[in-house]
Amino acid sequence: MCSASLGRAVLPLLALAGLTAAATPYAPQPPPLSTDWTEDVGTHPWPEYPRPQLQRSQWQTLNGVWEYRNAESAAALAVPPFGESLDTEVLVPSCLESGLSGLQAQNTIYSWLSTHFSVPDDWQDQRVLLNFGAVDYEATVFINGERAAFNRGGYFEFTVDATDFVNFGDDNELLVFVYDPTDGEDAVIPIGKQTLNQRHIFYTPCSGIWQSVWLESAPKEYITKLDLTADMNGEVTVIVHSASGNGDSVEVKVENGDETIASHTANADEHFTFTVDDVKLWSPDSPNLYNITVTLGDDEIRSYTGFRTISKGTVDGIVRPLVNGEFRFLFGTLDQGFWPDGIYTPPTREAMVYDLQLLKDLGFNMVRKHIKVENALFYRACDELGLFVIQDMPSLPLVEPNADQQAEFARQLEVLVNQLKSHPSIMSWVIYNEGWGQILSTNPEFDLTDRIRELDPTRLVNSVTGWYDHGAGDYSDNHHYANPQCGTPFYSSLSSPYDPERIGIQGEFGGIGHNVSIENLWNVQAAIDTIDETYELDATLEVWNYRSRTLLTELRDQISRFACSAAIWTQTTDVEGEVNGLMTYDRRLKRVDEQQWKDDIESLYRAARGRGETPDERVSDRGVLRY
């Protein structure tokens, strides 16, 4: 018997022999603040199929109660605890620092997580694919005592071909070693707003397996990735990536309900296009989606798309963002994606969609996903609701990276674009936020912008949002609190003056705060002590709404008078010590006077319509549309 087979045989026997003490049973810990969904999580979280744009029929979730052990140091990786019961049970997916994890731990830099699973006997002639939505930050995966995979990058999905490691119809041990330094150990990695030392606008970190884990079966020749976009003229652009890379024949069908309205046969692993007639376009007003079926040999996957075109062009002498060939004013919120009970992991899909539905109901047509990447169901919800997404790259800490750290940042930026570029709701990519991790001596944003355009020529790029703008990208972006300075002839000392060769956007403004009682606050004294650092604090909700109307009126005037084309209000919800959300952190208190906000947002769109909607007779410099 080979050593690998011996390991597979011995591991279950060790577990059955009870050679290690049983793990402490799972129980959620009371977080500093709960939500209305905290009690709904249970021990079978996120049961939905996690990847809606490449969906297979045969799958099983591995979400649920796993086991956890603090690994203390990197040296632990050399001695994996095969066949052992770990110290305590933990919920997956979850952030180890969250109450829902059952740990509410701190400084979880090195961790072991384990579970056991079975593979159906009737999968034996198939490939067994083990999928992770996201593990923060590095994951080393062992299956039945053998090292099966390694992944670096805390925001991105990865797949392990587990076929050669599993026992069919029997018990299998899955063991994951996680290394997540966040901003400790002199690490300079993409972390967004996470920090080991929480302070006002920097929050509790997220370590571990924080997005779904699932198994699925696929034929020996299977689809690994689907890149698919569809434009306003009905042209569908596709690359079907295959496991073998042999360029075998694939068929793509476009479906409207149960009816196939177009089909096309081509080769896998090659770029191809075809046209669908008489399509209904996707936009915030009418988010029409079409189902897609892709077949490669015996492999069939389900997906979807929306037909729309994003570009820029000149309208009445001003460079504007164009949606399906027309100027559309874009207004959204800064959306941090933090939760008091789950940190980075929303408690349920319903909770996650609640935030987006509130924005849609108020009249917002866009959301800026702020230096975080969400699970695929978030983007599916934006696709379905009709909310554009301006997607940030998770930022580095507030230090300048060295050459290796910058190269890793650039690699993960490419992963971000490739992972999300088939979602119709995403309309722009953001590289740098307020100079965090930006190398000012060499201006790498120019090369990074060019690279994004190579990977995805169908969207706009906001190379630098807020500060240190050297002229790269499609936007001239300003951050200013609380008042807007959007495409105006006046600007603050940190932001650059408006550049009329690019789109004028107010990348952040607002941020006005209103303190609430402890029932709606993140009950951590260090966070409460920073509430006074809020840009502006308003004594009552009436005053907060009065000030909101004042700022939105200023924005409307800048739309009417100057070159403002898009704006982002800070923010969707409170987060820890920040109290400037449309809602409190627990989502139980809405600050907004809803009718007032609906009226004020509609007035922004009216002002934009008054500035003209038809592009001038010219060629768009994005090379997408001709006018």
Side-chain angles (χ1 to χ4, degrees):
M1 180 180 290
C2 71
S3 59
S5 299
L6 179 62
R8 294 185 194 179
V10 169
L11 286 175
L13 293 175
L14 290 174
L16 291 172
L19 297 182
T20 60
T24 302
Y26 168 75
Q29 300 299 308
L33 183 66
S34 67
T35 71
D36 286 342
W37 301 275
T38 304
E39 299 297 325
D40 296 338
V41 175
T43 56
H44 300 284
W46 287 89
E48 301 86 357
Y49 187 87
R51 193 183 55 205
Q53 288 196 313
L54 203 165
Q55 185 164 349
R56 288 192 169 88
S57 58
Q58 288 190 305
W59 74 286
Q60 63 185 51
T61 182
L62 296 188
N63 292 347
V65 176
W66 290 36
E67 293 184 354
Y68 164 83
R69 176 180 294 170
N70 189 321
E72 301 294 343
S73 72
L77 182 57
V79 191
F82 297 137
E84 298 181 21
S85 178
L86 303 186
D87 298 342
T88 185
E89 292 184 338
V90 65
L91 195 68
V92 170
S94 68
C95 301
L96 300 178
E97 294 83 354
S98 71
L100 286 175
S101 73
L103 301 176
Q104 207 156 233
Q106 296 181 353
N107 296 318
T108 52
I109 295 174
Y110 304 94
S111 304
W112 287 109
L113 295 104
S114 72
T115 191
H116 289 258
F117 64 91
S118 62
V119 181
D121 281 326
D122 59 7
W123 286 16
Q124 289 208 43
D125 293 329
Q126 303 284 300
R127 306 306 293 179
V128 179
L129 306 180
L130 170 63
N131 303 285
F132 292 84
V135 181
D136 198 358
Y137 172 66
E138 291 181 354
T140 305
V141 180
F142 297 88
I143 301 172
N144 291 328
E146 298 182 69
R147 179 167 172 159
F150 171 80
N151 186 76
R152 176 180 292 121
Y155 296 91
F156 307 114
E157 65 190 23
F158 63 99
T159 296
V160 181
D161 187 338
T163 313
D164 297 336
F165 302 100
V166 299
N167 302 308
F168 291 90
D170 202 350
D171 180 75
N172 296 275
E173 181 190 56
L174 173 59
L175 187 65
V176 183
F177 182 79
V178 179
Y179 168 57
D180 182 22
T182 310
D183 54 355
E185 299 192 337
D186 298 321
V188 180
I189 62 176
I191 55 172
K193 287 288 194 82
Q194 302 179 72
T195 180
L196 296 178
N197 302 292
Q198 293 87 59
R199 57 197 184 279
H200 196 47
I201 65 168
F202 297 97
Y203 318 127
T204 301
C206 173
S207 302
I209 304 171
W210 67 277
Q211 290 188 22
S212 289
V213 186
W214 73 104
L215 288 173
E216 61 189 5
S217 70
K220 292 180 180 179
E221 174 61 0
Y222 63 94
I223 298 165
T224 58
K225 188 173 183 293
L226 176 65
D227 296 334
L228 189 149
T229 58
D231 72 14
M232 61 180 283
N233 299 312
E235 184 173 85
V236 182
T237 301
V238 187
I239 302 179
V240 180
H241 302 265
S242 70
S244 69
N246 289 334
D248 294 335
S249 177
V250 296
E251 182 184 37
V252 179
K253 294 180 180 179
V254 181
E255 299 155 344
N256 186 7
D258 295 330
E259 179 186 3
T260 298
I261 61 173
S263 64
H264 187 79
T265 300
N267 295 328
D269 309 300
E270 297 177 6
H271 171 279
F272 62 89
T273 64
F274 63 95
T275 300
V276 184
D277 296 328
D278 301 322
V279 294
K280 295 180 180 179
L281 299 186
W282 189 98
S283 75
D285 296 328
S286 54
N288 299 299
L289 296 175
Y290 289 82
N291 291 326
I292 303 288
T293 300
V294 183
T295 305
L296 170 67
D298 293 330
D299 194 20
E300 180 178 281
I301 63 99
R302 300 282 291 169
S303 189
Y304 69 91
T305 194
F307 289 84
R308 91 289 179 272
T309 297
I310 307 300
S311 63
K312 69 178 180 181
T314 302
V315 180
D316 291 343
I318 299 174
V319 180
R320 300 290 198 184
L322 304 178
V323 178
N324 298 326
E326 296 182 346
F327 166 43
R328 180 68 177 260
F329 187 82
L330 304 169
F331 189 50
T333 59
L334 196 74
D335 195 75
Q336 310 257 24
F338 275 78
W339 295 81
D341 45 12
I343 310 301
Y344 255 18
T345 306
T348 66
R349 180 184 179 277
E350 290 74 22
M352 181 182 71
V353 174
Y354 177 85
D355 284 5
L356 299 173
Q357 188 66 60
L358 172 75
L359 300 180
K360 187 69 178 180
D361 290 345
L362 290 174
F364 290 98
N365 60 14
M366 176 263 286
V367 63
R368 177 184 167 198
K369 178 44 61 180
H370 188 41
I371 48 182
K372 182 195 176 189
V373 182
E374 296 287 359
N375 68 55
L377 294 173
F378 173 92
Y379 301 98
R380 169 78 194 216
C382 293
D383 296 337
E384 292 175 333
L385 288 170
L387 277 172
F388 274 122
V389 178
I390 293 179
Q391 176 64 53
D392 290 11
M393 172 64 188
S395 60
L396 300 173
L398 305 183
V399 297
E400 188 169 295
N402 62 33
D404 289 342
Q405 294 160 346
Q406 177 64 19
E408 180 60 23
F409 175 83
R411 183 191 72 83
Q412 292 190 32
L413 176 63
E414 292 192 14
V415 175
L416 169 72
V417 174
N418 282 326
Q419 179 170 312
L420 298 180
K421 65 183 181 182
S422 294
H423 285 280
S425 58
I426 295 179
M427 57 90 55
S428 294
W429 306 106
V430 176
I431 302 175
Y432 288 111
N433 175 73
E434 295 185 346
W436 301 359
Q438 183 180 356
I439 303 174
L440 301 180
S441 59
T442 59
N443 302 339
E445 62 268 23
F446 284 92
D447 287 342
L448 294 176
T449 299
D450 290 343
R451 181 57 181 147
I452 290 175
R453 286 174 172 163
E454 290 174 2
L455 294 171
D456 179 17
T458 70
R459 292 181 176 87
L460 304 177
V461 182
N462 192 346
S463 306
V464 175
T465 178
W467 307 343
Y468 309 127
D469 182 2
H470 304 110
D474 298 304
Y475 293 90
S476 179
D477 195 326
N478 180 297
H479 290 189
H480 191 258
Y481 291 101
N483 308 72
Q485 297 176 346
C486 184
T488 63
F490 49 87
Y491 60 97
S492 62
S493 59
L494 284 174
S495 288
S496 302
Y498 164 63
D499 175 4
E501 298 300 314
R502 293 180 290 159
I503 298 166
I505 181 174
Q506 186 67 50
E508 295 179 24
F509 82 113
I512 57 175
H514 162 254
N515 206 349
V516 291
S517 63
I518 193 63
E519 287 79 12
N520 301 112
L521 284 175
W522 177 250
N523 193 4
V524 173
Q525 192 59 48
I528 293 172
D529 290 343
T530 66
I531 286 175
D532 285 343
E533 296 179 26
T534 304
Y535 300 108
E536 171 184 309
L537 282 170
D538 301 323
T540 65
L541 284 178
E542 290 75 17
V543 172
W544 185 88
N545 278 285
Y546 158 74
R547 288 289 294 140
S548 300
R549 167 160 280 182
T550 299
L551 298 177
L552 293 179
T553 299
E554 282 193 49
L555 181 67
R556 184 192 65 203
D557 290 345
Q558 291 171 20
I559 296 168
S560 297
R561 291 174 179 269
F562 304 118
C564 183
S565 293
I568 297 161
W569 178 273
T570 301
Q571 59 186 328
T572 306
T573 73
D574 296 352
V575 185
E576 299 194 4
E578 287 195 89
V579 292
N580 54 3
L582 303 179
M583 295 182 286
T584 51
Y585 196 21
D586 59 2
R587 280 73 170 172
R588 292 188 174 109
L589 174 64
K590 296 179 185 177
R591 290 191 176 90
V592 290
D593 178 323
E594 295 189 50
Q595 189 57 55
Q596 175 191 308
W597 272 77
K598 289 177 183 178
D599 292 344
D600 289 346
I601 291 173
E602 177 56 32
S603 76
L604 304 180
Y605 301 146
R606 284 200 306 271
R609 290 193 291 269
R611 296 300 304 273
E613 297 179 319
T614 304
D616 299 341
E617 295 294 327
R618 66 188 296 274
V619 177
S620 168
D621 58 10
R622 293 291 290 129
V624 178
L625 296 176
R626 183 179 297 274
Y627 303 105

